[in-house]
Amino acid sequence: MTTEQPNSNQLDTSFFGHPKGLSTLFFTEMWERFSYYGMRALLILFMTASIQEGGLFITVASASAIYGLYTGSVYLMGLPGGWIADRLLGCQKTVWYGGIIIFAGHVVLAIPSDKTFFIGLVLVVLGTGLLKPNIGAMVGQLYSKDDKRRDAGYTLYYMGINIGSFLAYLTVGPLKEQGWWHLAFGLAAIGMAAGLIQYRKTLYKLNGAGAEPTVESSPKMIKVSWSIITAFLIGLTLVITAIMAGSLVIDPVSIAESAAVIITAIFILYFIGIFFLGNLDGNEKRGLAALFLVCVASACFWAGFEQAGSSLNLFAQDYTNRIMGSFEIPTIWFQLSNSAFIIILAPFIAALWINLAKKMITPSYGIKCAIGLIIMALGFLVMFFAAQYAASGMKVAPYWLVSTYFLHTVGELCLSPVALSAVSKLSPKRFAGQMMGVFVLTYSIGNVVAGLLAGNLDPNNLNEMPELFMHICLITIAVGVVVAILTLKTKKWELLVDKSAS
């Protein structure tokens, strides 16, 4: 039995012209991002703060490595999180349980004890891995296949993310300046609790979207899956217990280096496996080759962009003149720039591509990503000059960091949405879901590498700071140029993929 597609007059337009279920996901994601970005902004500042200031007094190198491992693991755990939703619980339940685990993690972080701090981080990683990929997937399930509002719906949803992060930076910043670290972590817990309450009370608006698993699994497979999950959690608990007891000593920098190599190896092997063993035709292989360039650009981009929460955050705290009259700008408020610039610039960047297309100028995915990389790299050129002033003993004006965040945001808007679109368009259709999972690994690689790079910001050797930012700038520009040159070839392949799909 088939049902007719509802006409435009029957479409649900309850939430700014979109299905009412989008409001449930919009506000849940807004509050989840409020909790995530609020805690993320505090993380490296708390770990490097002295004991007298209420921090953990960890070296910049170790704290940056932990920061990179944390943010990288959030994206890495999205892979099993999506798998659990698809095969065991469905998106709705997975998001709910993920939110509860995130809430528990923030509550643990709010406890003033260095012994429980890393338990809280692990809980937030596990919960975000369950929630983040699946709430985004449910947005798409609110629309029929031919509903033209889908892209606009994701744009509205993306605005919720940025509103959440903006509010997080705004409210957490003053608490940090007062040294109220754990109260700030507790504020993140309150945000997640608000999201959970809102989600539960408005769940009916989803009209069954994401209520059931999308893949039917046999009872035996379900049992094996839960056994694997249980074994993983038991193993993780034993490792954490051993670390807390002091019987297992770890080096965060070495672990981060190993993690970067392992995740990169998984990404490359998976890509090669699909390319050579996936029974792809010629056009599919060309599309996958073009997508590989986009993935390389994405990993390099996030390795630079994610300095926002690490090296740039420390630069704002220690080397920026934050006094304006009688008011001192909270360190974390500099990160407001990214959210504010996204909200302001997103419509203009989207209009730019549309207007270029009207003039028959359509840059390929690779070219757009290369442009994004190079613009982001220019932000580090700004930081090179700022760091030179800081290395001479002066505190620099706030506009250096604001200018950097402006360039990073323009680069993000050029690359991030385009890269996601490239995955959906260039991936072989029967591997579309898996390729999105593989693409997410580029976020993980970039975040772990970002932590390792930030670890080179040695507060005892400021003369190396300008060199660090210049290295990031030059390497990123070089990658952008290489991607652009290779794209001159792959652009033809993208056109062939378009023709074969039409």
Side-chain angles (χ1 to χ4, degrees):
M1 178 179 177
T2 59
T3 57
E4 292 186 5
Q5 179 68 29
N7 62 42
S8 59
N9 294 325
Q10 296 172 317
L11 289 176
D12 180 2
T13 58
S14 306
F15 184 65
F16 295 103
H18 292 268
K20 59 187 176 183
L22 185 60
S23 66
T24 299
L25 303 179
F26 176 96
F27 288 109
T28 304
E29 179 69 354
M30 185 190 80
W31 284 114
E32 186 275 329
R33 291 290 90 180
F34 174 90
S35 67
Y36 175 79
Y37 280 107
M39 194 276 293
R40 169 183 170 273
L42 291 166
L43 190 55
I44 199 164
L45 302 178
F46 173 69
M47 288 192 290
T48 56
S50 67
I51 302 296
Q52 292 76 15
E53 294 173 322
L56 299 181
F57 199 45
I58 298 175
T59 65
V60 170
S62 293
S64 298
I66 293 169
Y67 172 87
L69 285 168
Y70 165 73
T71 54
S73 297
V74 163
Y75 291 108
L76 185 62
M77 292 306 298
L79 297 178
W83 188 88
I84 288 171
D86 286 343
R87 289 165 172 78
L88 299 177
L89 296 176
C91 287
Q92 284 189 17
K93 290 181 180 178
T94 307
V95 167
W96 171 249
Y97 293 132
I100 291 174
I101 295 171
I102 293 171
F103 170 74
H106 287 307
V107 169
V108 172
L109 288 170
I111 299 172
S113 171
D114 57 355
K115 293 186 179 298
T116 58
F117 177 75
F118 294 102
I119 295 176
L121 284 186
V122 170
L123 288 173
V124 174
V125 166
L126 296 176
T128 307
L130 293 174
L131 184 147
K132 183 62 177 168
N134 296 307
I135 195 168
M138 279 195 287
V139 172
Q141 294 176 28
L142 296 174
Y143 301 90
S144 66
K145 184 178 180 181
D146 300 323
D147 196 326
K148 303 298 184 184
R149 300 175 298 166
R150 181 189 299 268
D151 288 349
Y154 270 105
T155 300
L156 188 58
Y157 170 77
Y158 195 64
M159 293 295 287
I161 293 174
N162 287 284
I163 292 171
S165 62
F166 185 91
L167 292 175
Y169 299 141
L170 189 66
T171 53
V172 168
L175 297 178
K176 178 268 174 190
E177 298 305 318
Q178 296 296 322
W180 297 338
W181 300 103
H182 296 285
L183 181 60
F185 288 132
L187 185 64
I190 293 172
M192 192 65 248
L196 284 169
I197 293 170
Q198 185 276 148
Y199 179 74
R200 199 67 179 181
K201 283 186 172 295
T202 61
L203 197 60
Y204 68 92
K205 293 183 179 180
L206 296 178
N207 291 327
E212 300 296 332
T214 56
V215 178
E216 186 174 349
S217 301
S218 66
K220 181 179 180 180
M221 179 58 68
I222 293 174
K223 184 177 180 180
V224 170
S225 299
W226 283 118
S227 297
I228 293 172
I229 294 170
T230 302
F232 168 76
L233 294 176
I234 291 173
L236 184 61
T237 301
L238 292 174
V239 170
I240 294 173
T241 303
I243 294 172
M244 291 180 63
S247 57
L248 178 62
V249 179
I250 62 171
D251 178 7
V253 176
S254 297
I255 292 178
E257 290 172 347
S258 300
V261 172
I262 291 170
I263 298 170
T264 302
I266 292 172
F267 165 77
I268 292 174
L269 290 174
Y270 210 113
F271 220 100
I272 290 174
I274 293 178
F275 190 88
F276 290 104
L277 305 176
N279 295 321
L280 307 183
D281 61 30
N283 281 337
E284 287 176 327
K285 286 187 175 182
R286 293 184 188 99
L288 207 58
L291 180 59
F292 183 79
L293 290 180
V294 173
C295 290
V296 170
S298 176
C300 292
F301 178 87
W302 296 112
F305 183 88
E306 280 298 323
Q307 298 301 312
S310 50
S311 65
L312 296 184
N313 210 4
L314 291 170
F315 191 92
Q317 175 181 255
D318 300 327
Y319 309 114
T320 301
N321 180 12
R322 296 184 284 115
I323 304 297
M324 295 186 66
S326 60
F327 177 71
E328 183 177 18
I329 305 171
T331 301
I332 291 171
W333 278 13
F334 283 94
Q335 295 187 57
L336 285 169
S337 305
N338 177 243
S339 301
F341 284 140
I342 283 181
I343 293 170
I344 295 169
L345 296 175
F348 295 99
I349 298 295
L352 172 64
W353 302 133
I354 293 172
N355 288 329
L356 286 176
K358 289 179 179 178
K359 297 179 180 179
M360 306 302 290
I361 302 173
T362 308
S364 66
Y365 290 123
I367 290 294
K368 290 178 180 177
C369 289
I371 291 172
L373 267 175
I374 293 171
I375 292 175
M376 189 270 289
L378 294 178
F380 285 104
L381 183 61
V382 172
M383 288 308 302
F384 167 74
F385 293 110
Q388 285 188 318
Y389 286 117
S392 67
M394 295 188 296
K395 287 201 170 185
V396 305
Y399 61 75
W400 290 97
L401 271 174
V402 174
S403 299
T404 296
Y405 282 125
F406 172 79
L407 291 167
H408 283 194
T409 302
V410 174
E412 179 187 4
L413 290 170
C414 288
L415 182 141
S416 186
V418 168
L420 289 170
S421 177
V423 177
S424 64
K425 193 170 186 179
L426 299 177
S427 297
K429 299 307 176 187
R430 58 189 180 281
F431 291 109
Q434 293 180 59
M435 288 310 303
M436 183 59 76
V438 173
F439 177 73
V440 169
L441 290 178
T442 66
Y443 297 163
S444 188
I445 294 167
N447 276 268
V448 175
V449 172
L452 292 171
L453 289 173
N456 293 315
L457 186 67
D458 185 357
N460 297 318
N461 194 355
L462 295 184
N463 290 326
E464 293 183 355
M465 184 164 50
E467 186 178 350
L468 168 65
F469 291 131
M470 181 55 76
H471 280 166
I472 297 175
C473 174
L474 293 177
I475 292 171
T476 306
I477 288 176
V479 173
V481 170
V482 170
V483 168
I485 292 172
L486 293 177
T487 296
L488 296 177
K489 175 67 175 178
T490 61
K491 179 176 175 60
K492 299 177 182 177
W493 297 348
E494 291 180 16
L495 294 173
L496 290 173
V497 172
D498 282 343
K499 289 180 181 179
S500 64
S502 60

